[in-house]
Amino acid sequence: MRTPRLYTPQPLPLGQTIELEAAAGHYVGKVLRMQEKQEVILFNDTGTQVSAHISNISKKIVRVLISAQLKAPKASLLYTHLGQVMSRGERMDYAIQKATELGINEITPLYSSRCEVKLDHQRQIKRLAHWQQIAISACEQSGRIDVPLIHTPQALSTWLENTSAEVKLVLHPHETRPLEAQKAPLSCALLVGPEGGFTLEEVEQAHAEGYTGLSLGPRILRTETAPIAALTLLQYVWGDLSPRLTEIQDK
Ligand code: SAH
């Protein structure tokens, strides 16, 4: 069995025993049926990653002894923030999971004129916790340590006025510009529309706020496919998928 890798909000002091949170304990004890002395890898928000061994396992409680500090995986050089207009069904879950695997740092769910999702306060809180958990699981699976921040949903105009990044891109099928070769920025904001797309006014407002149009080619991608294609491109030209970077690391 591959050593399970789990996120915890707790500090991870070397040589000490900690109790896993209920959900992690359930996963280790009930789902994986792990035994005493077996190893788990734990990581937290401070960028610490450790190896730990189960010291005590009972019906409800799993305690682990933190045995060694591990080298933490590196984050991408490129800081990315995705503004994704919400669509119905599980499209948002998919976009969050895949964007996390591809190194996204922040995600803001957005409302726009063709957005078909409306969340009241209570549902918004529930959705946010659900999305944050998807991002955590995607980090556990993909070996990432820096869990992306999922913001409270906001209006597209608020996002356009308040989001700052060195390069700001609006994805729109009717734009003709591919990604331009330019000096690698350190940060990039990426705006993706809903199933029905952006209105002309929204695209114009994005341009007025400094967003450059980005085309992902002649085919219309689904709203949840667009961030995957765009992030792959961005990590390739400016981030940690860059052939230039691999050459440097290989030396
Ligand atoms: N019917 C809509 C298409 C929406 S696709 C329209 O014609 O505008 C959903 C979103 O994915 C779009 O708003 C855009 O942000 C992104 N997208 C899909 N295909 C794209 C492409 N080829 N180039 C750039 N962005 C694209």
Side-chain angles (χ1 to χ4, degrees):
M1 183 178 74
R2 194 171 148 210
T3 309
R5 184 172 178 273
L6 303 166
Y7 166 82
T8 173
Q10 304 183 53
L12 295 166
L14 204 60
Q16 290 197 27
T17 299
I18 62 162
E19 187 180 312
L20 295 183
E21 289 74 42
H26 176 82
Y27 180 65
V28 166
K30 286 268 170 335
V31 181
L32 300 179
R33 298 183 174 276
M34 291 181 78
Q35 311 285 327
E36 276 176 26
K37 297 203 174 70
Q38 283 192 300
E39 186 192 17
V40 291
I41 293 171
L42 300 174
F43 66 98
N44 67 13
D45 296 308
T46 66
T48 306
Q49 178 154 284
V50 297
S51 161
H53 288 83
I54 299 173
S55 56
N56 183 271
I57 195 158
S58 67
K59 259 195 182 150
K60 289 233 154 102
I61 292 168
V62 176
R63 289 200 181 84
V64 298
L65 173 70
I66 299 169
S67 36
Q69 184 110 21
L70 301 177
K71 198 165 170 244
K74 279 206 181 107
S76 176
L77 296 172
L78 180 68
Y79 192 91
T80 47
H81 186 168
L82 171 67
Q84 172 92 34
V85 178
M86 292 179 285
S87 289
R88 279 200 292 224
E90 289 174 358
R91 299 183 196 289
M92 197 66 188
D93 293 7
Y94 186 85
I96 289 173
Q97 184 188 61
K98 303 302 168 205
T100 304
E101 291 169 27
L102 288 161
I104 200 77
N105 299 101
E106 291 180 49
I107 301 174
T108 307
L110 298 172
Y111 293 105
S112 72
S113 29
R114 294 188 188 145
C115 171
E116 291 176 334
V117 176
K118 269 214 168 82
L119 300 173
D120 61 27
H121 184 65
Q122 251 351 76
R123 281 193 62 209
Q124 195 158 288
I125 293 172
K126 269 182 88 176
R127 286 269 97 187
L128 208 55
H130 169 73
W131 288 330
Q132 193 66 64
Q133 189 50 52
I134 287 178
I136 288 172
S137 300
C139 285
E140 290 176 337
Q141 173 273 323
S142 65
R144 252 187 98 165
I145 201 161
D146 52 327
V147 178
L149 184 62
I150 319 284
H151 295 279
T152 311
Q154 55 179 247
L156 173 62
S157 54
T158 314
W159 149 278
L160 286 174
E161 283 159 21
N162 297 311
T163 305
S164 55
E166 241 181 278
V167 168
K168 299 191 280 188
L169 302 169
V170 51
L171 269 65
H172 191 50
H174 313 289
E175 296 281 355
T176 49
R177 300 213 301 179
L179 198 61
E180 279 171 33
Q182 56 170 286
K183 196 169 160 278
L186 290 176
S187 60
C188 182
L190 195 64
L191 179 57
V192 178
E195 280 299 274
F198 289 120
T199 63
L200 200 60
E201 295 75 51
E202 287 170 339
V203 175
E204 277 167 6
Q205 195 197 348
H207 285 165
E209 294 289 349
Y211 282 71
T212 313
L214 172 64
S215 163
L216 292 173
R219 291 164 296 275
I220 308 275
L221 307 177
R222 282 197 176 269
T223 176
E224 70 275 30
T225 315
I228 303 174
L231 279 166
T232 308
L233 259 181
L234 295 180
Q235 295 289 22
Y236 186 73
V237 289
W238 297 328
D240 57 7
L241 256 168
S242 159
R244 186 176 41 91
L245 198 74
T246 317
E247 269 168 33
I248 297 167
Q249 282 169 345
D250 283 347
K251 279 189 185 152

